[in-house]
Amino acid sequence: MSSPHAHDGQPSGQFALLTQRRFGPFFGVQMLGAGNDNVFKFALTVLVTYQLQLEWLPASLAGLVIGALFILPFLLFSATSGQLADKYPKQVLIRRVKDLEIAIMLLAGWGFMAQQIPLLLGCVFLMGLHSTLFGPVKFAYLPQHLSERELTGGNGMVEMGTFVAILLGNVAGGLLIALPGTGPTAVALACVVLAVVGRLLAQAVPASPATDPQLRINWNPFTETWRNLQLARGNVVVFRSLLGISWMWFFGAVFLSSFPAFARDVLHGSEQVASLLLVVFSIGIGVGALLCEVLSRRHVEIGLVPLGAIGMSVFSVDLYFAASGLPPAQALPLGAFLAQPAHWRVLIDLLLLSLFAGIYSVPMYALIQMRSQPTHRARIIAANNILNALFMIASALIAGLLLHLGFSITELFLFVGLANAVVAGYIFLLVPEYLLRFVAWVASHLVYRFRIQGDEHIPTEGPAVLVCNHVSFVDAVLLMGASPRPIRFLMDHRIFRVPVLGWLFRLAKAIPVAPQKEDPQAYAQAFEAAAAVLREGDLLAIFPEGAITRDGTLQPFKGGVLKVLEQARADGLTVPVVPMGLSHLWGSFFSRIELRGGEPTAMVRPFRRGVWSPVALQVGPALAAEGLTTDALREQVAMLVVSP
């Protein structure tokens, strides 16, 4: 497998990826494919809705039928496509899928010119098959070519590109089919040209070796679908993330499918207003997706997921209030619609709820790619596509039922916003890692102005011991925010008595350690638990001073860290030791700087150093555990603490 770390230089920003062969051609291929899907589907919808009168396909059902035919292959063939993407080189599959797209579009082109609607509906199903085959390849390709530091930005670019392609495809499809006399021919030509250009770009996609070439294909879609779902359930965090992404598609589908009726019946706007809603929604998703790299400091930061969920609920609920009680009006053209201030609140709510949906989904995709086993990553993505399709179908059925029961469209938005809060809360309780990372993200972005240097020294895979000075009660929270992976902490048992923070550290499965003289059994259990963390290939963090500093200086290191490393050697593990130094936390609210009854005490004066005070973490290169002493380790940490 090609290593994402084999690329020269520092990880590049998300836009710079477009200039590189490992990403640029692939990005173009996926964007053109998504655009072509939507040119074709929207042109066909307009053709059947406005230009042809078919008894067997009423205009009111055309969009529903076309959408269902496109989604059906995701249910039938996702399991097979996941196996193919794991078994064969991805660049080969991408080229074969684009060959298939050219063949489908040649057939569809003839269908448009001859106005053969049954044939065109068959082509919708085939384009759904084309997308089904491409989906697992697309998301399994990225972690093969992008490092952990680039994965969030790469996923953000792909999500942004997909929604821009959907938007442009819908606009182009509608404009081309409406050309007097030449509409069907123009659509046919555009679809074939997009497919051919996509195939030419596919030729430039670099080699992406198979991750499981010995895999035996199970052609039974039903048993393989079940097997894929079981495979995904093997990793709790990954499986809950699949459900989280599928919920986002449920949430988004309610809004996208409601735009025409919402524009006409609630906003009293013309068809142009319905198009504007789609434009605003697509821009919001794209901007949110691109913001993820900035907000995450170019790591896979799942702490953004709760932030996204909060925004989705807040602004969908506000959309209900913004759209309720608008005065009746005739079908307003776009200019008249925009001239009314009340409508701007609706558009801002729509923009922000979709922006937060982008922030919500991108880290989840990146997490799935990073935490799935490479040998069956594509099959996990296939399981995600199956769940997405099921959730979108459920979305249409539940929305239809609620509207049939007398719910208004605005009440439907309110229902989805409140349901989103319940579903998100449930997921975060099931997988506390999301909540922990959110707390760490808030602390490192909003409470403190947190600057990190050398975080590339934190290993992205395999066991390691992180060693840091202990300045305050929130040191562990800040280290969580700096690491791309979950950290288990070996911590003084007294810190678990602190309100809120104690609950947080228990949620993080921190390991309480008491002095050996005080509780020999708890002491032994703590070090056995620490050894188990390393055996499982995870990160273990230790504060070797044994307690929070009482005067701001670095205290002598105790021997617990060497005991952990000795046990790791006995277990046959080679564990690197990563030194870290926290600076500028002494003097903050959470440090023991205040004297109360002659004792140094923390958390006495809120905002002691104001809001958003600067804090720094410097991470040094990993040290070999062999021959390491506590004095040598303390010296390394001391150099990092005093460094600027």
Side-chain angles (χ1 to χ4, degrees), residues 213-266:
Q214 306 308 316
L215 177 68
R216 293 184 64 182
I217 303 287
N218 172 17
W219 295 101
N220 184 324
F222 303 105
T223 57
E224 187 58 28
T225 293
W226 181 250
R227 191 182 299 173
N228 280 4
L229 292 172
Q230 293 301 109
L231 202 61
R233 287 188 66 187
N235 184 320
V236 174
V237 175
V238 167
F239 187 66
R240 304 296 185 203
S241 300
L242 297 183
L243 293 176
I245 287 173
S246 297
W247 170 256
M248 194 277 289
W249 282 104
F250 179 106
F251 179 91
V254 168
F255 287 92
L256 288 168
S257 62
S258 302
F259 283 161
F262 180 56
R264 185 188 62 215
D265 301 335
V266 179

Side-chain angles (χ1 to χ4, degrees), residues 609-623:
R609 285 200 335 210
V611 180
W612 215 43
S613 59
V615 172
L617 174 71
Q618 185 140 327
V619 184
L623 307 170

Side-chain angles (χ1 to χ4, degrees), residues 70-394:
F70 190 78
I71 288 175
L72 185 57
F74 285 92
L75 293 174
L76 297 177
F77 303 115
S78 281
T80 306
S81 69
Q83 294 176 90
L84 294 172
D86 278 332
K87 182 175 176 64
Y88 296 106
K90 291 172 187 60
Q91 83 279 8
V92 173
L93 283 172
I94 288 172
R95 289 164 195 163
R96 297 295 81 82
V97 168
K98 301 314 282 185
D99 290 338
L100 175 64
E101 185 185 355
I102 292 173
I104 296 167
M105 285 310 174
L106 286 170
L107 190 61
W110 182 79
F112 268 114
M113 289 188 286
Q115 302 207 341
Q116 290 289 328
I117 303 305
L119 175 64
L120 289 170
L121 291 175
C123 289
V124 171
F125 179 85
L126 291 174
M127 282 304 285
L129 174 62
H130 153 270
S131 295
T132 301
L133 292 170
F134 189 69
V137 181
K138 174 171 77 171
F139 285 110
Y141 173 92
L142 289 174
Q144 255 184 299
H145 292 274
L146 303 183
S147 69
E148 184 274 334
R149 289 172 67 84
E150 297 169 316
L151 209 47
T152 295
N155 275 286
M157 290 295 290
V158 167
E159 181 133 341
M160 177 276 297
T162 300
F163 274 88
V164 168
I166 290 170
L167 178 61
L168 294 178
N170 280 327
V171 171
L175 291 174
L176 290 173
I177 196 67
L179 291 173
T182 59
T185 306
V187 171
L189 188 62
C191 288
V192 172
V193 167
L194 287 172
V196 169
V197 174
R199 176 61 182 86
L200 292 173
L201 277 175
Q203 202 61 36
V205 171
S208 311
T211 50
D212 191 2
Q214 306 308 316
L215 177 68
R216 293 184 64 182
I217 303 287
N218 172 17
W219 295 101
N220 184 324
F222 303 105
T223 57
E224 187 58 28
T225 293
W226 181 250
R227 191 182 299 173
N228 280 4
L229 292 172
Q230 293 301 109
L231 202 61
R233 287 188 66 187
N235 184 320
V236 174
V237 175
V238 167
F239 187 66
R240 304 296 185 203
S241 300
L242 297 183
L243 293 176
I245 287 173
S246 297
W247 170 256
M248 194 277 289
W249 282 104
F250 179 106
F251 179 91
V254 168
F255 287 92
L256 288 168
S257 62
S258 302
F259 283 161
F262 180 56
R264 185 188 62 215
D265 301 335
V266 179
L267 302 179
H268 314 296
S270 63
E271 295 90 338
Q272 294 171 312
V273 173
S275 298
L276 175 66
L277 299 181
L278 177 64
V279 169
V280 169
F281 192 86
S282 301
I283 289 172
I285 290 274
V287 171
L290 292 178
L291 276 175
C292 286
E293 185 182 65
V294 178
L295 294 174
S296 67
R297 292 197 184 99
R298 297 173 63 183
H299 279 305
V300 176
E301 180 50 87
I302 62 173
L304 294 177
V305 175
L307 177 69
I310 291 167
M312 287 161 68
S313 283
V314 167
F315 291 106
S316 52
V317 169
D318 192 67
L319 182 62
Y320 163 76
F321 290 106
S324 296
L326 289 174
Q330 299 298 319
L332 297 170
L334 190 58
F337 175 82
L338 292 173
Q340 296 190 18
H343 294 151
W344 279 94
R345 180 179 167 191
V346 170
L347 294 176
I348 289 168
D349 280 336
L350 197 57
L351 177 73
L352 290 175
L353 77 85
S354 57
L355 182 147
F356 279 102
I359 289 173
Y360 171 92
S361 62
V362 167
M364 280 194 174
Y365 276 117
L367 178 79
I368 291 165
Q369 291 161 340
M370 194 172 76
R371 300 276 183 92
S372 300
Q373 282 291 105
T375 49
H376 52 258
R377 186 183 282 134
R379 279 168 283 169
I380 300 289
I381 300 296
N384 180 51
N385 290 342
I386 295 163
L387 289 171
N388 288 352
L390 289 171
F391 272 64
M392 288 171 75
I393 291 166

